[in-house]
Amino acid sequence: MSIGQSAVARVPWVTLTLAVVLVAVHVAVTWTGPADVDALVRWGAKAGP
């Protein structure tokens, strides 16, 4: 650690934020019911004709 850096500056904030967002989306999808094709399309999955 160089002079002037604190331990807080070394925390990977972007990575932690993305991990929290991904877990929140996973929980939201899980609470809406089974992950069938219709549910996945409602949550933004790509579906062909």
Side-chain angles (χ1 to χ4, degrees), residues 7-31:
V8 175
R10 296 183 50 84
V11 175
W13 293 111
V14 174
T15 303
L16 291 176
T17 303
L18 288 174
V20 168
V21 169
L22 288 173
V23 168
V25 169
H26 176 73
V27 168
V29 170
T30 303
W31 279 350

